[in-house]
Amino acid sequence: MRVKNSVATHARRKKILKAAEGYFGSKHLLFKTAKEQVLKGWKYAYQSRRDRKSDFRKLWIKRINAACHMNGLSYSRFIDGLTKAGIISKTGEGLNRKMLSELAINDPKAFAALCETAKKAGK
C-alpha cells in the first residue's frame, strides 16, 4: 500500500504561497521560488527584531547627547557623572537610557537638574 500525503502537501504549499502574497513576479506564483523568498523574508524578520533593540539604544543615546550639549556637557561626561552619583548603574538599577531620553524630550528642567548633578559628581 502506498502512502498518500496529498492533503498535507497541499496545505504546506498553500501556507507558503499565502505568505508570499504580494511578492513580485513568479515569487508569489511558483512554489519553489516562493518558498525561497518566504524563508529569506523570515530570516530578515528574525534579524531585524534583534537589530531593533540596538537601533533604539542608538536613538536614545543621540537624543541624550543633544540634550547634554544644550546643557554644556558631553554625553560621556554626563553618563560618567550619573554613574558616580549612583543615579544609574551597569546592573540596570536606576534610570536607563530610554528614561533619560524621555526626560530630555518631555521634561527639560528635570534633565537640566540631572546635568547639574552629573557635573558636580564628575569633578
Side-chain angles (χ1 to χ4, degrees):
M1 187 171 145
R2 69 186 185 93
V3 176
K4 299 172 186 168
N5 199 21
S6 62
V7 173
T9 303
H10 284 301
R12 188 166 52 250
R13 289 180 182 216
K14 190 175 174 184
K15 184 176 103 176
I16 292 292
L17 289 171
K18 176 83 171 127
E21 268 183 15
Y23 286 7
F24 184 78
S26 64
K27 291 174 182 163
H28 75 284
L29 296 170
L30 305 178
F31 175 71
K32 187 176 179 179
T33 54
K35 184 178 178 188
E36 289 170 357
Q37 206 59 42
V38 166
L39 291 178
K40 187 173 273 195
W42 286 343
K43 185 179 84 172
Y44 287 145
Y46 178 85
Q47 289 171 346
S48 295
R49 282 195 298 274
R50 273 122 196 96
D51 291 344
R52 188 182 311 136
K53 280 86 174 158
S54 65
D55 290 344
F56 270 107
R57 184 180 166 93
K58 288 174 194 171
L59 174 67
W60 298 329
I61 288 172
K62 286 176 184 170
R63 286 177 177 172
I64 295 166
N65 187 30
C68 286
H69 280 282
M70 290 171 71
N71 287 294
L73 200 62
S74 70
Y75 171 78
S76 59
R77 292 199 189 281
F78 175 70
I79 293 295
D80 180 55
L82 291 184
T83 306
K84 286 177 180 171
I87 295 172
I88 62 173
S89 68
K90 295 191 188 298
T91 57
E93 291 116 29
L95 293 176
N96 59 25
R97 282 161 181 79
K98 181 179 180 179
M99 294 176 193
L100 289 170
S101 170
E102 288 297 318
L103 264 179
I105 294 167
N106 298 323
D107 195 358
K109 289 181 182 175
F111 192 82
L114 281 174
C115 285
E116 290 305 315
T117 306
K119 282 179 189 175
K120 289 175 187 166
K123 291 182 181 177

